[in-house]
Structures are given as structure tokens and as C-alpha cells.
């Protein structure tokens, strides 16, 4: 197995089933729309910015309930 790459970690915010984050490279806001609850409640996910293509690790901690 190849070694897993590490990407810059940024913090995202949850709003319903949408996760928002801001790319540190181009300062553009992007969103992730989740269709499954299992995907929405993960603590982190690797995504790419829609505007510049930079790969990021988006951290989404659980909200206080």
C-alpha cells in the first residue's frame, strides 16, 4: 500500500447537511453537500477546492447538543 499523503488541515462548519469551508490558498468559500448521514457525521474528509484545485483535509467537529 502506498503511504497516505497528508494535506493541510482546515476547520469547516456544519449547517444542516451542508459543510462549508474556506480555502487558504485562494480564499474562496466552498461547500460539501452530503446525501447520507454517515458521510455527514465523519470528523474529517479530504476534499479539493472547486476554484483552485488544492487538496485539503476538512475537520468538522460535532456540534454541541
Amino acid at each position: 500500500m502506498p503511504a497516505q499523503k497528508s494535506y493541510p488541515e482546515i476547520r469547516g462548519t456544519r449547517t444542516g447537511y451542508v459543510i462549508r469551508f474556506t480555502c487558504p490558498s485562494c480564499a474562496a468559500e466552498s461547500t460539501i453537500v452530503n446525501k447520507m448521514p454517515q458521510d455527514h457525521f465523519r470528523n474529517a474528509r479530504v476534499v479539493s477546492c472547486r476554484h483552485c484545485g488544492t487538496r485539503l483535509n476538512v475537520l468538522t467537529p460535532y456540534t454541541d447538543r
Side-chain angles (χ1 to χ4, degrees), residues 38-58:
Q38 296 93 335
D39 294 335
H40 182 68
F41 289 108
R42 290 191 316 195
N43 288 333
R45 61 199 42 79
V46 176
V47 298
S48 60
C49 176
R50 292 183 187 172
H51 303 279
C52 67
T54 303
R55 300 285 288 173
L56 303 164
N57 188 14
V58 177

Side-chain angles (χ1 to χ4, degrees), residues 23-35:
C23 177
S25 299
C26 66
E29 183 177 337
S30 295
T31 60
I32 304 167
V33 178
N34 296 302
K35 296 180 177 118

Side-chain angles (χ1 to χ4, degrees), residues 10-15 18-22 29-32 58-60:
I10 61 169
R11 191 170 292 273
T13 58
R14 296 176 196 247
T15 310
V18 176
I19 297 172
R20 297 180 187 277
F21 65 95
T22 303
E29 183 177 337
S30 295
T31 60
I32 304 167
V58 177
L59 303 173
T60 50

